Amino acid sequence: VFGALFPQLARLSREFPVNLHSFFPGLTEINRSSMLFLLVLIVLAALEITLLAKPLVWLIFGADYLTAVPILRVLIWSLVPYTLSTAFSVELVTRGRENRVLLATLLTLVITTILGFGLLRMNGPTGVGLAIFLGETILAALLFVSLNQRTQLEIQHETRP
């Protein structure tokens, strides 16, 4: 969805339409609306899959794959921070701050890899799922901070008469 909105977001971002009183202050209105809609859908889907993971896995893959249920219950929740980080990264790229997306992604990759190895030893495959969830959450947080840091160009744009 965010990829399809990219051209519109790029056009809107030239005007620096920041509403500091909104729920997600750094996002353009179209990105904010899309993100909130997707978040509601993702949370509802994650709740359903968490509750129905065992019968779903059994129905689709059979009893041999029931050991994947705990991993599925953890991994499905990584879609929530993934939705946030996608919206934040699209917004940053449309504002010409793709270097911040790259740095946040690289840092998150290193952290997730370290967490993955550590949690694999402690919790097995479910630990890796937890590492992925934590990595997505860290990425969303880093991108949120980057999105809400004003650049010198934005400060100059706001102070012009």
Side-chain angles (χ1 to χ4, degrees), residues 74-146:
V74 171
L75 275 178
I76 192 63
W77 287 99
S78 65
L79 291 176
V80 175
Y82 172 78
T83 301
L84 292 170
S85 62
T86 301
F88 298 155
S89 63
V90 166
E91 190 78 28
L92 285 164
V93 169
T94 61
R95 292 180 181 208
R97 297 189 210 166
E98 51 278 330
N99 61 335
R100 292 184 185 197
V101 176
L102 178 64
L103 289 173
T105 304
L106 181 61
L107 180 60
T108 302
L109 175 63
V110 171
I111 292 170
T112 303
T113 302
I114 293 167
L115 283 172
F117 282 115
L119 291 172
L120 175 64
R121 289 189 184 126
M122 293 172 30
N123 300 88
T126 305
V128 176
L130 181 59
I132 291 169
F133 170 76
L134 292 172
E136 287 293 343
T137 303
I138 291 166
L139 179 60
L142 290 172
L143 293 174
F144 180 76
V145 168
S146 292

Side-chain angles (χ1 to χ4, degrees), residues 34-67:
S34 300
M35 183 189 61
L36 291 175
F37 175 73
L38 285 175
L39 273 177
V40 169
L41 289 179
I42 294 295
V43 168
L44 290 174
L47 279 171
E48 289 178 29
I49 290 174
T50 299
L51 295 173
L52 300 172
K54 190 172 184 176
L56 283 172
V57 169
W58 181 81
L59 182 67
I60 296 170
F61 301 106
D64 291 342
Y65 288 88
L66 287 177
T67 55

